[in-house]
Amino acid sequence: MALKDKVLEILEDNRGRSVSGNKIAVSLGMTRSAVWKAVKQLREEGYTINAVTNRGYCLTSDNDILNEPSVISFLETKELGRKMDIFKSIDSTNNFAKSLAQLGAVNGHTIIAEQQTAGKGRMGKKFYAPNNQGIYLSVIVRPQLSVEYALMITSCAAVAVAEAIEKVSGLRCGIKWVNDLYSNGKKLCGILTEAAIGVEQGGLEYAVIGIGINVSNTSFPKELEDIATSIRAETGKNVNRSQLVAEILNRLEVRLGDICTKEFLDDYRKRSIIIGKRIIITRNDVSETVQCVDIDNLGKLVVRRDNGEEVALSTATITLLD
């Protein structure tokens, strides 16, 4: 760990309180001059650190740059997030996570970025991920599950993320099957799960759960302004992104641990914004208007056609009818 990161860790542990440069220097076995240089580097990276004569350095409570010490300070997990990499910018956290998973990365290894230049959504769509305004993370999980649970991992994650957002911000989210969180009719969050099948064991070798949340966005590109929203836009409040990242990992570990009981499906159904409504489903470029009936016990979407036939879908693009 670089000296500036060690200094940051101490400042994070005392966020909002002053710590003397001498105390930092002694605890890290470095000179006060080296502490000053480290603080200077952190300021250049965007951290607001006040220096008060005879009191020391203080990392102000409104700092919202994602960093490992800050996330860890809110973390309650055993495995998820205990190994993490944080980037200023990356093409896709999911792509990087998959490359790590293929090299044997441990369960819970988490990739976080301040910005994605090529974020991915379902069906190959691009996910809008501007700098310092959202949460873009991917978690590698190695569940002992059969292939049929692959779809349920996304559903399980949707419940966990909704719970985390509600706890940290107070904003209740609805779920649009299978992977989107909505608030007031607009998309707030997208989830993309990519899984690898183990040939020998016939089950999931690993899954990468990618999560993108609009947190502090106050504006969107023209093509998104009528369909996207953010936590700040809905609540008028800024939330601590490190706290929200940690709470997502906290809730995700709990929910994934109970995935075989399928208890999360009750909460998924309660948060559904499409059950009982007329929707348009699109598969293989063919669209059909149907009635959404339920989410079954495998996470599939149950719809009723106009002729009365009911079918359970694993994949489809959903459009809500006004």
Side-chain angles (χ1 to χ4, degrees):
M1 184 183 294
L3 286 178
K4 70 177 178 65
D5 295 323
K6 295 179 180 179
V7 171
L8 177 60
E9 189 169 18
I10 292 175
L11 294 175
E12 281 285 4
D13 287 341
N14 295 275
R15 180 182 280 241
R17 302 190 301 270
S18 295
V19 187
S20 73
N22 185 63
K23 182 177 180 180
I24 296 173
V26 170
S27 64
L28 296 179
M30 57 196 297
T31 65
R32 290 182 63 181
S33 176
V35 172
W36 178 84
K37 290 179 181 178
V39 169
K40 184 173 182 289
Q41 284 181 288
L42 292 170
R43 285 171 171 165
E44 289 172 350
E45 291 180 8
Y47 292 93
T48 303
I49 302 173
N50 294 332
V52 181
T53 304
N54 298 324
R55 294 182 64 185
Y57 300 106
C58 175
L59 179 68
T60 61
S61 57
D62 60 352
N63 276 277
D64 193 33
I65 298 175
L66 291 168
N67 62 78
E68 188 170 348
S70 182
V71 174
I72 288 177
S73 69
F74 297 102
L75 209 56
E76 300 171 356
T77 62
K78 292 182 179 179
E79 294 182 282
L80 269 60
R82 292 302 171 179
K83 170 68 176 176
M84 73 175 72
D85 294 301
I86 300 179
F87 296 91
K88 292 292 183 184
S89 181
I90 197 172
D91 61 345
S92 161
T93 56
N94 259 34
N95 283 348
F96 191 79
K98 284 193 296 181
S99 67
L100 290 181
Q102 291 162 7
L103 294 172
V106 298
N107 180 63
H109 193 147
T110 302
I111 311 301
I112 305 169
E114 288 279 9
Q115 178 186 30
Q116 287 188 121
T117 58
K120 298 191 299 182
R122 290 182 72 232
M123 310 296 185
K125 295 179 180 179
K126 186 175 180 179
F127 185 86
Y128 177 63
N131 192 29
N132 299 325
Q133 296 184 50
I135 286 174
Y136 320 115
L137 68 86
S138 296
V139 187
I140 299 168
V141 294
R142 296 187 180 277
Q144 302 297 311
L145 298 173
S146 60
V147 175
E148 68 179 8
Y149 279 87
L151 179 64
M152 296 179 67
I153 290 175
T154 301
S155 304
C156 184
V159 172
V161 175
E163 290 174 332
I165 291 173
E166 189 168 350
K167 180 175 180 179
V168 174
S169 72
L171 178 64
R172 183 170 176 81
C173 306
I175 300 174
K176 178 188 170 191
W177 185 88
V178 59
N179 66 325
D180 293 334
L181 300 188
Y182 271 60
S183 179
N184 290 323
K186 293 185 176 182
K187 183 175 175 178
L188 180 75
C189 166
I191 300 170
L192 175 66
T193 301
E194 299 181 273
I197 310 302
V199 177
E200 293 184 3
Q201 66 270 33
L204 294 176
E205 181 182 347
Y206 67 82
V208 170
I209 306 170
I211 301 164
I213 307 172
N214 300 325
V215 178
S216 60
N217 314 58
T218 55
S219 63
F220 292 89
K222 189 171 182 63
E223 66 271 18
L224 297 177
E225 59 186 16
D226 292 331
I227 60 175
T229 190
S230 70
I231 293 175
R232 183 177 178 182
E234 295 300 324
T235 65
K237 300 186 298 186
N238 291 321
V239 300
N240 185 319
R241 288 185 300 154
S242 292
Q243 181 182 6
L244 182 51
V245 166
E247 191 57 33
I248 289 169
L249 296 172
N250 292 341
R251 295 306 307 158
L252 188 57
E253 186 166 276
V254 171
R255 285 298 190 176
L256 287 175
D258 294 333
I259 195 170
C260 289
T261 69
K262 303 180 182 180
E263 290 182 9
F264 74 92
L265 283 171
D266 287 337
D267 291 308
Y268 189 93
R269 294 184 182 105
K270 289 176 184 177
R271 290 182 181 272
S272 173
I273 64 172
I274 64 172
I275 290 178
K277 295 186 177 182
R278 295 283 285 177
I279 59 173
I280 298 173
I281 58 171
T282 303
R283 296 184 296 167
N284 301 319
D285 296 325
V286 177
S287 297
E288 180 182 7
T289 300
V290 297
Q291 182 78 11
C292 180
V293 177
D294 198 1
I295 309 292
D296 74 10
N297 284 335
L298 290 176
K300 295 180 180 180
L301 184 70
V302 181
V303 300
R304 182 184 299 119
R305 293 190 166 114
D306 289 343
N307 64 6
E309 178 189 11
E310 290 190 1
V311 293
L313 308 176
S314 296
T315 59
T317 298
I318 305 298
T319 303
L320 286 166
L321 292 173
D322 296 331

